[in-house]
Amino acid sequence: MNIDILRNSLTTRILWNCAEANGFYKRFGKITPQVFIDLLLHCALHQAGYCSLSQMSNYLSWQLNIDVSKQAIDERFTDSAYKYVLSVVNYIAGQRMSSALDTSFLEAFSRVRIKDSTKFKLPCWLKDQYKGHGGFGDIQSGMCIQFEYDLKSNAIIGFSLTNETRNDFEESREEPQPILSNDLLIRDLGYWSINKFKQIKSAGAFFLSRLNTTVELFDLQGNRFELKTVYQKMKKYRLTHQQFIVRLGIKEQIVVRLCVSLASDEVYEKRITTLKKQNQRYKNATIRQETKDRYHLNLFVTNIPCQILDTPDILKAYHFRWQIELIFKQWKSIAGVASVTAVRAERFLCILYAKLILILINYRFMRVIQSFYYRTNQRLLSPYKCMQSLWLHFDIICDILKRKGWRNTTYIDSLVTRFSRNHYLENRKKHITFEDLFYYYLK
């Protein structure tokens, strides 16, 4: 397994470069850049990130043979300290590493880019660093993590930290990552933008998104496209899916494929129930029949030619977007990125960024090992189970990253062996799993 990039991610040279960029090295003393990161990673792993100053002092003394008082440690948590750790996060996130499972998977596309964001509240004293929406409880601080990865190679394409106030639509307009020919971008409604679809199309790339139900639809002759008629026809003739060529929007228009399937009665009832709850704040709010007709349908828009993916395949392909939701679930339930501890702002941010370092490193290790096992026995590992184990056994990864015993394969063998026991994906009844989709889209 090629993990040179992983091993180099926490070398002393890189940490010193990050430190010099922020002027933090002037305050190190006994606590060198490597020691400071080691200490923060220990805190990030410890009880959802909380670790007292006394526990930090004991860790340095017992594990690294460095005697530093808790007061001296507390003095290290400064404005330049958390900027230094953030620079390490950005460096690791910027490292490109591919570990494709199978080159024939969705081979019509060079990359399958899935992007979404996750948000969480922060203590109010962090409002100067990360501004929040406010609202109930006067919560003035919050963070948004924008994350994008390539489903084919498992490489991280984008990773950024912004204010909670920055929404996905703003991100879509100022997306920093270039769009390449034959890319497929799968997006949620938050990133919906007709202008963005035009940009993707002009770059020779493809998009797949749910339909924004507030956008007007027209046929190629300029007549309003009626979804009510579509629903009635599908219900009458028991059609499972249909596709149409339509124009989106009134002023800004683009021609797309509209792929339609019937929603189950259960899904329809959930949608109507949710809408009723949203309308409770408005007096005499009623649900229009047109809205009810739309809620009977699953609606997707794309510019992928039907010769590449027909309508049933388009409907299945959108399920890939749910993988990023599972990744965010790992970050919150396993890494505890949303956990809040009542400590000084600088110390809180240092440990939060240390969690993100752990997440990024574990993500890469997990993908490398997942690729190794697929090529060995054609089975897929569960990312969630792997992340849980990596979080519990990060000491082994640290030994590899710091090149302790690197020539002794016992370290790697020990890590890999753990994943051969009860870490494979399991089939879920009545649910489309990633394993089902993966094998379906193999050549």
Side-chain angles (χ1 to χ4, degrees):
M1 294 179 288
N2 182 11
I3 55 175
D4 289 340
I5 293 179
L6 293 175
R7 190 179 63 202
N8 290 333
S9 293
L10 288 179
T11 61
T12 303
R13 177 182 59 81
I14 291 170
L15 293 178
W16 268 114
N17 289 342
C18 293
E20 290 172 349
N22 292 284
F24 183 55
Y25 67 95
K26 296 178 181 179
R27 297 182 59 85
F28 278 156
K30 293 181 180 179
I31 304 180
T32 65
Q34 184 70 63
V35 170
F36 190 69
I37 290 294
D38 282 348
L39 177 62
L40 292 179
L41 295 182
H42 169 72
C43 295
L45 288 167
H46 191 272
Q47 294 182 356
Y50 177 75
C51 193
S52 68
L53 293 173
S54 296
Q55 290 171 320
M56 294 182 193
S57 178
N58 291 337
Y59 172 77
L60 292 177
S61 177
W62 298 343
Q63 299 296 325
L64 303 178
N65 198 27
I66 299 175
D67 291 325
V68 182
S69 67
K70 61 181 184 180
Q71 290 80 8
I73 295 175
D74 188 47
E75 291 174 358
R76 298 304 195 279
F77 291 104
T78 62
D79 180 76
S80 59
Y82 75 76
K83 290 179 180 178
Y84 155 60
V85 185
L86 179 59
S87 69
V88 178
V89 174
N90 291 332
Y91 176 85
I92 297 175
Q95 296 298 294
R96 295 289 181 261
M97 187 195 73
S98 298
S99 183
L101 296 177
D102 195 312
T103 56
S104 66
F105 173 58
L106 291 169
E107 65 172 358
F109 310 105
S110 56
R111 297 184 296 180
V112 178
R113 298 171 52 171
I114 301 180
K115 183 175 185 176
D116 207 345
S117 64
T118 183
K119 298 181 179 182
F120 50 91
K121 302 297 181 182
L122 293 176
C124 61
W125 57 83
L126 292 172
K127 61 183 179 181
D128 292 336
Q129 288 85 1
Y130 295 100
K131 185 178 180 181
H133 287 296
F136 180 77
D138 194 26
I139 301 175
Q140 302 175 6
S141 180
M143 177 181 287
C144 173
I145 302 179
Q146 292 284 346
F147 180 66
E148 182 177 14
Y149 76 105
D150 174 18
L151 186 70
K152 286 172 64 73
S153 68
N154 288 317
I156 297 174
I157 297 176
F159 184 95
S160 62
L161 309 179
T162 67
N163 294 329
E164 185 189 31
T165 54
R166 180 179 173 87
N167 58 40
D168 295 342
F169 179 72
E170 291 177 304
E171 178 71 16
S172 69
R173 290 190 301 177
E174 304 172 8
E175 194 167 12
Q177 300 301 325
I179 300 171
L180 306 179
S181 177
N182 290 324
D183 278 357
L184 169 59
L185 285 77
I186 301 179
R187 295 288 187 268
D188 195 10
L189 285 177
Y191 297 90
W192 175 278
S193 168
I194 292 179
N195 286 331
K196 188 65 178 183
F197 292 158
K198 289 183 176 180
Q199 179 186 349
I200 294 171
K201 190 174 181 179
S202 64
F206 306 97
F207 59 83
L208 172 57
S209 172
R210 285 192 296 157
L211 174 68
N212 185 337
T213 55
T214 63
V215 174
E216 298 289 346
L217 298 177
F218 301 90
D219 61 24
L220 297 183
Q221 286 72 43
N223 302 314
R224 190 176 298 277
F225 188 84
E226 297 292 344
L227 289 172
K228 177 181 179 180
T229 305
V230 174
Y231 167 65
Q232 291 175 344
K233 181 180 178 180
M234 294 183 70
K235 185 177 180 181
K236 179 179 179 180
Y237 295 102
R238 298 181 180 179
L239 301 175
T240 57
H241 58 269
Q242 277 193 292
Q243 74 165 11
F244 307 90
I245 304 299
V246 300
R247 293 182 184 273
L248 294 179
I250 298 177
K251 294 182 179 180
E252 296 290 338
Q253 289 194 339
I254 184 174
V255 177
V256 299
R257 282 175 66 194
L258 174 66
C259 299
V260 186
S261 69
L262 283 177
S264 66
D265 293 339
E266 181 182 1
V267 170
Y268 171 76
E269 291 298 331
K270 285 183 178 179
R271 291 173 177 175
I272 293 297
T273 301
T274 301
L275 184 59
K276 287 180 179 179
K277 290 181 179 179
Q278 293 174 348
N279 288 345
Q280 284 179 353
R281 66 183 114 174
Y282 304 108
K283 293 182 179 180
N284 300 322
T286 58
I287 302 176
R288 296 184 302 167
Q289 185 60 43
E290 180 183 359
T291 302
K292 293 181 179 180
D293 293 337
R294 286 194 175 208
Y295 277 22
H296 277 292
L297 303 173
N298 298 314
L299 304 164
F300 300 90
V301 292
T302 184
N303 66 330
I304 303 173
C306 57
Q307 295 86 350
I308 296 178
L309 292 180
D310 60 17
T311 300
D313 289 346
I314 289 291
L315 301 175
K316 287 186 176 69
Y318 190 77
H319 285 277
F320 282 123
R321 201 200 68 80
W322 288 103
Q323 295 303 305
I324 201 166
E325 300 289 352
L326 297 178
I327 291 175
F328 292 153
K329 181 181 177 181
Q330 296 168 17
W331 296 1
K332 292 182 178 180
S333 63
I334 300 175
V337 293
S339 300
V340 175
T341 306
V343 295
R344 284 197 300 115
E346 294 81 6
R347 181 174 158 195
F348 177 88
L349 288 174
C350 282
I351 297 176
L352 174 62
Y353 295 151
K355 290 182 182 181
L356 298 179
I357 291 174
L358 287 171
I359 286 171
L360 293 170
I361 294 174
N362 284 341
Y363 175 87
R364 288 191 166 91
F365 264 94
M366 181 258 296
R367 293 305 186 185
V368 169
I369 296 175
Q370 186 183 48
S371 177
F372 170 78
Y373 269 103
Y374 174 76
R375 293 171 184 174
T376 301
N377 55 22
Q378 299 297 299
R379 294 188 66 185
L380 296 176
L381 293 175
S382 164
Y384 190 85
K385 295 177 182 177
C386 291
M387 185 65 77
Q388 280 183 315
S389 293
L390 286 171
W391 205 262
L392 290 173
H393 303 292
F394 190 75
D395 56 327
I396 299 176
I397 298 177
C398 281
D399 287 331
I400 295 174
L401 290 175
K402 290 183 284 189
R403 303 189 183 189
K404 292 181 179 179
W406 174 250
R407 296 184 182 278
N408 186 346
T409 59
T410 303
Y411 286 93
I412 301 177
D413 291 341
S414 175
L415 185 63
V416 172
T417 300
R418 296 174 192 269
F419 287 86
S420 64
R421 305 188 186 101
N422 304 318
H423 280 70
Y424 292 106
L425 279 173
E426 298 177 3
N427 291 325
R428 297 177 61 191
K429 295 182 179 179
K430 299 181 181 181
H431 290 275
I432 299 177
T433 66
F434 174 74
E435 186 175 26
D436 297 329
L437 293 170
F438 177 79
Y439 288 117
Y440 179 84
Y441 285 98
L442 285 180
K443 183 178 178 181

mmCIF file of all heavy atoms in Angstrom, residues 267-294:
data_model
loop_
_atom_site.group_PDB
_atom_site.id
_atom_site.type_symbol
_atom_site.label_atom_id
_atom_site.label_comp_id
_atom_site.label_asym_id
_atom_site.label_seq_id
_atom_site.Cartn_x
_atom_site.Cartn_y
_atom_site.Cartn_z
ATOM 1 N N VAL A 267 -43.333 8.231 1.398
ATOM 2 C CA VAL A 267 -42.511 9.421 1.160
ATOM 3 C C VAL A 267 -43.400 10.647 0.947
ATOM 4 O O VAL A 267 -43.125 11.735 1.464
ATOM 5 C CB VAL A 267 -41.588 9.200 -0.058
ATOM 6 C CG1 VAL A 267 -40.905 10.505 -0.466
ATOM 7 C CG2 VAL A 267 -40.553 8.133 0.245
ATOM 8 N N TYR A 268 -44.473 10.460 0.190
ATOM 9 C CA TYR A 268 -45.392 11.571 -0.069
ATOM 10 C C TYR A 268 -45.988 12.100 1.237
ATOM 11 O O TYR A 268 -46.039 13.325 1.461
ATOM 12 C CB TYR A 268 -46.508 11.114 -1.007
ATOM 13 C CG TYR A 268 -47.620 12.127 -1.166
ATOM 14 C CD1 TYR A 268 -47.446 13.263 -1.949
ATOM 15 C CD2 TYR A 268 -48.838 11.962 -0.497
ATOM 16 C CE1 TYR A 268 -48.456 14.207 -2.076
ATOM 17 C CE2 TYR A 268 -49.863 12.899 -0.619
ATOM 18 C CZ TYR A 268 -49.664 14.022 -1.416
ATOM 19 O OH TYR A 268 -50.661 14.957 -1.533
ATOM 20 N N GLU A 269 -46.421 11.223 2.112
ATOM 21 C CA GLU A 269 -47.010 11.642 3.378
ATOM 22 C C GLU A 269 -45.994 12.378 4.242
ATOM 23 O O GLU A 269 -46.336 13.358 4.921
ATOM 24 C CB GLU A 269 -47.576 10.433 4.128
ATOM 25 C CG GLU A 269 -48.800 9.815 3.476
ATOM 26 C CD GLU A 269 -49.976 10.780 3.393
ATOM 27 O OE1 GLU A 269 -50.068 11.681 4.265
ATOM 28 O OE2 GLU A 269 -50.784 10.650 2.453
ATOM 29 N N LYS A 270 -44.748 11.935 4.226
ATOM 30 C CA LYS A 270 -43.709 12.619 4.998
ATOM 31 C C LYS A 270 -43.493 14.031 4.471
ATOM 32 O O LYS A 270 -43.316 14.987 5.243
ATOM 33 C CB LYS A 270 -42.402 11.817 4.938
ATOM 34 C CG LYS A 270 -42.395 10.564 5.791
ATOM 35 C CD LYS A 270 -41.035 9.885 5.730
ATOM 36 C CE LYS A 270 -40.994 8.648 6.614
ATOM 37 N NZ LYS A 270 -39.663 7.959 6.544
ATOM 38 N N ARG A 271 -43.480 14.177 3.144
ATOM 39 C CA ARG A 271 -43.279 15.498 2.551
ATOM 40 C C ARG A 271 -44.417 16.446 2.911
ATOM 41 O O ARG A 271 -44.183 17.611 3.258
ATOM 42 C CB ARG A 271 -43.168 15.365 1.028
ATOM 43 C CG ARG A 271 -41.892 14.668 0.555
ATOM 44 C CD ARG A 271 -41.927 14.406 -0.946
ATOM 45 N NE ARG A 271 -40.685 13.795 -1.402
ATOM 46 C CZ ARG A 271 -40.469 13.377 -2.654
ATOM 47 N NH1 ARG A 271 -41.434 13.500 -3.568
ATOM 48 N NH2 ARG A 271 -39.308 12.842 -2.987
ATOM 49 N N ILE A 272 -45.641 15.954 2.835
ATOM 50 C CA ILE A 272 -46.788 16.792 3.152
ATOM 51 C C ILE A 272 -46.793 17.162 4.633
ATOM 52 O O ILE A 272 -47.068 18.316 5.005
ATOM 53 C CB ILE A 272 -48.104 16.075 2.774
ATOM 54 C CG1 ILE A 272 -48.222 15.927 1.259
ATOM 55 C CG2 ILE A 272 -49.301 16.826 3.321
ATOM 56 C CD1 ILE A 272 -48.296 17.237 0.510
ATOM 57 N N THR A 273 -46.471 16.202 5.500
ATOM 58 C CA THR A 273 -46.421 16.468 6.946
ATOM 59 C C THR A 273 -45.386 17.539 7.264
ATOM 60 O O THR A 273 -45.629 18.456 8.063
ATOM 61 C CB THR A 273 -46.104 15.179 7.725
ATOM 62 O OG1 THR A 273 -47.110 14.201 7.458
ATOM 63 C CG2 THR A 273 -46.038 15.449 9.219
ATOM 64 N N THR A 274 -44.208 17.436 6.637
ATOM 65 C CA THR A 274 -43.148 18.429 6.846
ATOM 66 C C THR A 274 -43.592 19.809 6.385
ATOM 67 O O THR A 274 -43.356 20.819 7.067
ATOM 68 C CB THR A 274 -41.873 18.009 6.092
ATOM 69 O OG1 THR A 274 -41.432 16.734 6.554
ATOM 70 C CG2 THR A 274 -40.764 19.028 6.306
ATOM 71 N N LEU A 275 -44.250 19.859 5.230
ATOM 72 C CA LEU A 275 -44.713 21.145 4.709
ATOM 73 C C LEU A 275 -45.775 21.764 5.610
ATOM 74 O O LEU A 275 -45.780 22.981 5.842
ATOM 75 C CB LEU A 275 -45.272 20.955 3.291
ATOM 76 C CG LEU A 275 -45.711 22.227 2.563
ATOM 77 C CD1 LEU A 275 -44.539 23.190 2.431
ATOM 78 C CD2 LEU A 275 -46.273 21.887 1.189
ATOM 79 N N LYS A 276 -46.655 20.946 6.155
ATOM 80 C CA LYS A 276 -47.689 21.459 7.058
ATOM 81 C C LYS A 276 -47.063 22.071 8.310
ATOM 82 O O LYS A 276 -47.524 23.117 8.803
ATOM 83 C CB LYS A 276 -48.655 20.337 7.446
ATOM 84 C CG LYS A 276 -49.610 19.911 6.324
ATOM 85 C CD LYS A 276 -50.535 18.806 6.795
ATOM 86 C CE LYS A 276 -51.508 18.401 5.702
ATOM 87 N NZ LYS A 276 -52.413 17.297 6.119
ATOM 88 N N LYS A 277 -46.045 21.427 8.842
ATOM 89 C CA LYS A 277 -45.364 21.968 10.025
ATOM 90 C C LYS A 277 -44.710 23.306 9.711
ATOM 91 O O LYS A 277 -44.714 24.228 10.537
ATOM 92 C CB LYS A 277 -44.324 20.969 10.525
ATOM 93 C CG LYS A 277 -44.915 19.715 11.146
ATOM 94 C CD LYS A 277 -43.813 18.781 11.629
ATOM 95 C CE LYS A 277 -44.409 17.524 12.271
ATOM 96 N NZ LYS A 277 -43.351 16.589 12.727
ATOM 97 N N GLN A 278 -44.132 23.418 8.508
ATOM 98 C CA GLN A 278 -43.499 24.673 8.107
ATOM 99 C C GLN A 278 -44.532 25.785 7.936
ATOM 100 O O GLN A 278 -44.243 26.958 8.186
ATOM 101 C CB GLN A 278 -42.730 24.473 6.799
ATOM 102 C CG GLN A 278 -41.530 23.555 6.926
ATOM 103 C CD GLN A 278 -40.879 23.259 5.583
ATOM 104 O OE1 GLN A 278 -41.434 23.557 4.521
ATOM 105 N NE2 GLN A 278 -39.700 22.655 5.616
ATOM 106 N N ASN A 279 -45.743 25.404 7.519
ATOM 107 C CA ASN A 279 -46.795 26.394 7.268
ATOM 108 C C ASN A 279 -47.552 26.815 8.526
ATOM 109 O O ASN A 279 -48.368 27.742 8.473
ATOM 110 C CB ASN A 279 -47.804 25.858 6.246
ATOM 111 C CG ASN A 279 -47.219 25.810 4.840
ATOM 112 O OD1 ASN A 279 -46.180 26.418 4.572
ATOM 113 N ND2 ASN A 279 -47.884 25.096 3.952
ATOM 114 N N GLN A 280 -47.309 26.151 9.635
ATOM 115 C CA GLN A 280 -48.037 26.461 10.860
ATOM 116 C C GLN A 280 -47.774 27.874 11.354
ATOM 117 O O GLN A 280 -48.604 28.463 12.050
ATOM 118 C CB GLN A 280 -47.672 25.459 11.955
ATOM 119 C CG GLN A 280 -48.333 24.104 11.784
ATOM 120 C CD GLN A 280 -47.930 23.126 12.867
ATOM 121 O OE1 GLN A 280 -47.054 23.415 13.687
ATOM 122 N NE2 GLN A 280 -48.553 21.960 12.880
ATOM 123 N N ARG A 281 -46.637 28.433 10.995
ATOM 124 C CA ARG A 281 -46.316 29.788 11.436
ATOM 125 C C ARG A 281 -47.116 30.854 10.675
ATOM 126 O O ARG A 281 -47.145 32.017 11.062
ATOM 127 C CB ARG A 281 -44.822 30.047 11.279
ATOM 128 C CG ARG A 281 -44.339 30.072 9.861
ATOM 129 C CD ARG A 281 -42.831 30.273 9.823
ATOM 130 N NE ARG A 281 -42.182 29.095 9.292
ATOM 131 C CZ ARG A 281 -40.890 29.031 9.039
ATOM 132 N NH1 ARG A 281 -40.123 30.065 9.313
ATOM 133 N NH2 ARG A 281 -40.351 27.947 8.550
ATOM 134 N N TYR A 282 -47.729 30.453 9.552
ATOM 135 C CA TYR A 282 -48.516 31.393 8.756
ATOM 136 C C TYR A 282 -50.012 31.112 8.955
ATOM 137 O O TYR A 282 -50.453 29.966 8.870
ATOM 138 C CB TYR A 282 -48.171 31.276 7.271
ATOM 139 C CG TYR A 282 -46.699 31.471 6.986
ATOM 140 C CD1 TYR A 282 -45.898 30.390 6.627
ATOM 141 C CD2 TYR A 282 -46.118 32.736 7.076
ATOM 142 C CE1 TYR A 282 -44.555 30.567 6.360
ATOM 143 C CE2 TYR A 282 -44.775 32.917 6.814
ATOM 144 C CZ TYR A 282 -43.997 31.837 6.457
ATOM 145 O OH TYR A 282 -42.663 32.004 6.205
ATOM 146 N N LYS A 283 -50.785 32.149 9.180
ATOM 147 C CA LYS A 283 -52.220 31.979 9.364
ATOM 148 C C LYS A 283 -52.887 31.666 8.028
ATOM 149 O O LYS A 283 -52.581 32.273 7.009
ATOM 150 C CB LYS A 283 -52.814 33.254 9.961
ATOM 151 C CG LYS A 283 -52.353 33.530 11.395
ATOM 152 C CD LYS A 283 -53.013 34.778 11.944
ATOM 153 C CE LYS A 283 -52.566 35.025 13.379
ATOM 154 N NZ LYS A 283 -53.205 36.242 13.943
ATOM 155 N N ASN A 284 -53.818 30.709 8.079
ATOM 156 C CA ASN A 284 -54.599 30.328 6.902
ATOM 157 C C ASN A 284 -53.733 29.850 5.735
ATOM 158 O O ASN A 284 -54.100 30.002 4.566
ATOM 159 C CB ASN A 284 -55.472 31.506 6.438
ATOM 160 C CG ASN A 284 -56.438 31.958 7.512
ATOM 161 O OD1 ASN A 284 -56.989 31.135 8.242
ATOM 162 N ND2 ASN A 284 -56.630 33.271 7.614
ATOM 163 N N ALA A 285 -52.557 29.331 6.043
ATOM 164 C CA ALA A 285 -51.692 28.812 4.981
ATOM 165 C C ALA A 285 -52.256 27.499 4.452
ATOM 166 O O ALA A 285 -52.560 26.587 5.221
ATOM 167 C CB ALA A 285 -50.279 28.589 5.519
ATOM 168 N N THR A 286 -52.433 27.429 3.152
ATOM 169 C CA THR A 286 -52.958 26.220 2.528
ATOM 170 C C THR A 286 -51.944 25.692 1.527
ATOM 171 O O THR A 286 -51.099 26.438 1.003
ATOM 172 C CB THR A 286 -54.288 26.503 1.806
ATOM 173 O OG1 THR A 286 -54.082 27.530 0.816
ATOM 174 C CG2 THR A 286 -55.344 26.954 2.796
ATOM 175 N N ILE A 287 -52.035 24.398 1.255
ATOM 176 C CA ILE A 287 -51.126 23.750 0.307
ATOM 177 C C ILE A 287 -51.809 23.672 -1.056
ATOM 178 O O ILE A 287 -52.893 23.093 -1.180
ATOM 179 C CB ILE A 287 -50.742 22.341 0.792
ATOM 180 C CG1 ILE A 287 -50.101 22.416 2.176
ATOM 181 C CG2 ILE A 287 -49.789 21.685 -0.200
ATOM 182 C CD1 ILE A 287 -49.787 21.067 2.772
ATOM 183 N N ARG A 288 -51.203 24.279 -2.032
ATOM 184 C CA ARG A 288 -51.793 24.282 -3.368
ATOM 185 C C ARG A 288 -51.785 22.879 -3.974
ATOM 186 O O ARG A 288 -50.908 22.067 -3.663
ATOM 187 C CB ARG A 288 -51.037 25.248 -4.274
ATOM 188 C CG ARG A 288 -51.113 26.715 -3.858
ATOM 189 C CD ARG A 288 -50.406 27.589 -4.874
ATOM 190 N NE ARG A 288 -49.011 27.189 -5.028
ATOM 191 C CZ ARG A 288 -48.216 27.615 -6.023
ATOM 192 N NH1 ARG A 288 -48.710 28.434 -6.932
ATOM 193 N NH2 ARG A 288 -46.973 27.211 -6.089
ATOM 194 N N GLN A 289 -52.732 22.628 -4.853
ATOM 195 C CA GLN A 289 -52.812 21.331 -5.514
ATOM 196 C C GLN A 289 -51.574 21.087 -6.374
ATOM 197 O O GLN A 289 -51.094 19.959 -6.475
ATOM 198 C CB GLN A 289 -54.078 21.260 -6.387
ATOM 199 C CG GLN A 289 -54.313 19.897 -7.032
ATOM 200 C CD GLN A 289 -54.461 18.795 -6.002
ATOM 201 O OE1 GLN A 289 -55.138 18.967 -4.990
ATOM 202 N NE2 GLN A 289 -53.817 17.657 -6.241
ATOM 203 N N GLU A 290 -51.052 22.137 -6.953
ATOM 204 C CA GLU A 290 -49.835 22.008 -7.778
ATOM 205 C C GLU A 290 -48.677 21.492 -6.937
ATOM 206 O O GLU A 290 -47.882 20.651 -7.388
ATOM 207 C CB GLU A 290 -49.479 23.365 -8.383
ATOM 208 C CG GLU A 290 -48.232 23.326 -9.266
ATOM 209 C CD GLU A 290 -47.856 24.699 -9.800
ATOM 210 O OE1 GLU A 290 -48.591 25.679 -9.495
ATOM 211 O OE2 GLU A 290 -46.839 24.799 -10.500
ATOM 212 N N THR A 291 -48.600 21.987 -5.702
ATOM 213 C CA THR A 291 -47.533 21.523 -4.800
ATOM 214 C C THR A 291 -47.725 20.056 -4.446
ATOM 215 O O THR A 291 -46.761 19.285 -4.426
ATOM 216 C CB THR A 291 -47.524 22.371 -3.518
ATOM 217 O OG1 THR A 291 -47.336 23.742 -3.851
ATOM 218 C CG2 THR A 291 -46.416 21.929 -2.577
ATOM 219 N N LYS A 292 -48.964 19.665 -4.185
ATOM 220 C CA LYS A 292 -49.241 18.267 -3.869
ATOM 221 C C LYS A 292 -48.869 17.356 -5.029
ATOM 222 O O LYS A 292 -48.315 16.266 -4.824
ATOM 223 C CB LYS A 292 -50.720 18.096 -3.521
ATOM 224 C CG LYS A 292 -51.150 18.770 -2.229
ATOM 225 C CD LYS A 292 -52.624 18.530 -1.949
ATOM 226 C CE LYS A 292 -53.057 19.182 -0.645
ATOM 227 N NZ LYS A 292 -54.501 18.948 -0.368
ATOM 228 N N ASP A 293 -49.148 17.797 -6.257
ATOM 229 C CA ASP A 293 -48.805 16.994 -7.438
ATOM 230 C C ASP A 293 -47.292 16.810 -7.550
ATOM 231 O O ASP A 293 -46.809 15.721 -7.866
ATOM 232 C CB ASP A 293 -49.353 17.657 -8.707
ATOM 233 C CG ASP A 293 -50.876 17.661 -8.748
ATOM 234 O OD1 ASP A 293 -51.477 16.793 -8.067
ATOM 235 O OD2 ASP A 293 -51.453 18.522 -9.423
ATOM 236 N N ARG A 294 -46.555 17.879 -7.279
ATOM 237 C CA ARG A 294 -45.090 17.787 -7.347
ATOM 238 C C ARG A 294 -44.550 16.831 -6.284
ATOM 239 O O ARG A 294 -43.574 16.122 -6.516
ATOM 240 C CB ARG A 294 -44.463 19.171 -7.157
ATOM 241 C CG ARG A 294 -44.606 20.079 -8.357
ATOM 242 C CD ARG A 294 -43.687 21.279 -8.245
ATOM 243 N NE ARG A 294 -43.726 22.103 -9.451
ATOM 244 C CZ ARG A 294 -42.710 22.851 -9.872
ATOM 245 N NH1 ARG A 294 -41.588 22.870 -9.194
ATOM 246 N NH2 ARG A 294 -42.812 23.584 -10.956
#
